[in-house]
Structure formats: C-alpha cells, structure tokens
Amino acid sequence: DTGVSQDPRHKITKRGQNVTFRCDPISEHNRLYWYRQTLGQGPEFLTYFQNEAQLEKSRLLSDRFSAERPKGSFSTLEIQRTEQGDSAMYLCASSLTPGEETQYFGPGTRLLVL
Amino acid sequence: QQQVKQSPQSLIVQKGGISIINCAYENTAFDYFPWYQQFPGKGPALLIAIRPDVSEKKEGRFTISFNKSAKQFSLHIMDSQPGDSATYFCAPTRDTGRRALTFGSGTRLQVQP
C-alpha cells in the first residue's frame, strides 16, 4: 500500500486551456474526496464519491469543473476554460466507510494558471 | 471556512516548550474533531482526533482538549521539537453522511532549536 497518489504534481497552463488531474486512492478505499487549497488557507471541500457514484458537489465547483470515478477506482478532476482564480493546490483524499473514518490525503497537484 | 476559526495564525516556540493551538466552531452538528498536520509540499495527515463524549485525549506528546459548551477544542504539543514545525489545521466534521472535513485557516508552527 503506497498511499494516495496524484498526478501530475505540478501543472502550469494558460488561461482558457483545459486541464485534467488524476488521483489514485488507497486500494479498497470506497470513498474519494477532492479538496482545493489556496495559499495560506485550509483545504475546502469540492466533491466526493462513494465507489463510482458522485454523491455531492460543493457550490465551489462551477460548471467548468467535472469529476469522475469510473469503476470506483481512480478519479479524475477536469477543469475546462481555466481562469487565474483556479490557481490552487488540488488535493485528493480517500477513506474506508464504514470503518476507519480517517481521510488519507495525497500530495496534491499544484495548478498555476497564467 | 467561516464556520471554523483557528488561532493563532502563526506560532514560534522554543524547543522543549509547549505549543497551543485553538479552534472554535459554529456548527453544533459536528461530532468528530481532528487535527491535521501539513508539511510543505505534502498533503495534510491526521495527527489526533477526539469525539465529544470525552473532554481530553492524549497520544504521546499531543493532547486534544474539548469544550463542548464553548464549542472549542485545542491542540497541545508538549516538549515541542524542530520536527514539529509544520502547519496545523483543525478540521471538524459530522461523523455521518459525507464526512467532508471543514478546515480552519491553519496555524504555522515554528519550533526553534
């Protein structure tokens, strides 16, 4: 078990471009969360999956954002038509429910939109 | 994030000293109270957590004190070490449903040797 992994670790893009991030949770973890962390702030909840079902999306997640978790394994977060305000660290976390409540976080993908 | 207020914003402690970080919350539905530790370039990692049926929990040098009536909980780090230098977040949540964490704004701790 190597923990939660995220790819890429860093992404620089130009405004208006589309970007996609990947998260591989701890194997057998059925819950997967996405959070966004801006500089000097705590992470904010974006969305979460129970297996392959996306159960809730935060109001922070505009229509330009879409997340998937096909087959309940890895997840992708896509941002279309990126804006400078999208620059942040995007964190993925996974947990096992019911059971241990601890959310295990990946190292994050740092996005910079120029 | 206005639901959770964390203080202080930054803290400098000498090696061997006690570090105290406070968290105040508004949502009375919260019933799980964790503290997360984050090092630069890493994701947050659970440090210690408490449930409202107890007022204090200790794990090694780390202690959580919980005051339900005041809607506050705090993290105490005894015998602080330079390796404890990190950003600490309180992140209360409801232990049912989505269990999404509501993070405070963080406390940057620096332990000087």
Side-chain angles (χ1 to χ4, degrees):
Chain A
D1 184 1
T2 58
V4 179
S5 61
Q6 293 187 244
D7 184 71
R9 294 290 310 276
H10 303 273
K11 179 70 177 179
I12 300 174
T13 190
K14 293 182 179 180
R15 189 176 54 185
Q17 297 295 305
N18 299 343
V19 294
T20 300
F21 310 140
R22 177 180 170 124
C23 171
D24 286 272
I26 294 172
S27 59
E28 298 181 356
H29 275 193
N30 51 4
R31 283 218 174 166
L32 187 147
Y33 298 81
W34 285 99
Y35 292 83
R36 181 172 68 188
Q37 184 176 22
T38 54
L39 204 61
Q41 297 297 317
E44 295 176 289
F45 168 75
L46 292 179
T47 187
Y48 87 105
F49 293 82
Q50 177 80 24
N51 298 310
E52 67 276 7
Q54 186 175 18
L55 297 186
E56 187 173 341
K57 295 190 291 186
S58 161
R59 288 174 294 175
L60 295 174
L61 217 61
S62 75
D63 292 342
R64 297 184 296 105
F65 289 70
S66 62
E68 295 181 342
R69 193 184 182 195
K71 303 179 183 178
S73 55
F74 70 92
S75 176
T76 59
L77 178 67
E78 180 183 17
I79 309 174
Q80 296 182 328
R81 304 181 303 281
T82 53
E83 302 174 355
Q84 287 185 328
D86 297 331
S87 296
M89 174 80 84
Y90 290 85
L91 292 162
C92 174
S94 70
S95 68
L96 183 62
T97 302
E100 186 179 10
E101 307 90 349
T102 302
Q103 292 186 26
Y104 294 86
F105 282 82
T109 294
R110 183 168 294 282
L111 172 67
L112 177 61
V113 182
L114 300 177
Chain B
Q1 287 190 344
Q2 293 180 349
Q3 293 187 61
V4 179
K5 294 184 179 180
Q6 191 174 331
S7 62
Q9 195 171 16
S10 63
L11 183 60
I12 299 175
V13 174
Q14 295 297 314
K15 179 182 176 183
I18 302 173
S19 304
I20 301 175
I21 305 171
N22 302 298
C23 187
Y25 62 95
E26 298 176 359
N27 190 341
T28 55
F30 289 152
D31 55 8
Y32 180 66
F33 302 90
W35 285 94
Y36 276 77
Q37 179 188 56
Q38 185 176 30
F39 293 103
K42 305 287 187 181
L46 178 67
L47 186 63
I48 187 172
I50 197 169
R51 296 188 183 280
D53 53 341
V54 296
S55 60
E56 187 173 284
K57 181 177 181 181
K58 183 177 181 180
E59 290 183 355
R61 297 185 294 109
F62 303 95
T63 300
I64 292 183
S65 297
F66 179 71
N67 187 329
K68 186 175 181 178
S69 61
K71 294 188 288 184
Q72 295 179 347
F73 63 110
S74 60
L75 174 68
H76 296 235
I77 305 175
M78 311 299 289
D79 187 27
S80 299
Q81 299 297 312
D84 297 330
S85 298
T87 300
Y88 293 81
F89 296 96
C90 59
T93 185
R94 292 188 64 182
D95 198 22
T96 56
R98 66 175 186 170
R99 293 179 174 163
L101 300 167
T102 305
F103 283 84
S105 55
T107 296
R108 191 167 185 175
L109 171 65
Q110 184 180 350
V111 181
Q112 293 185 334

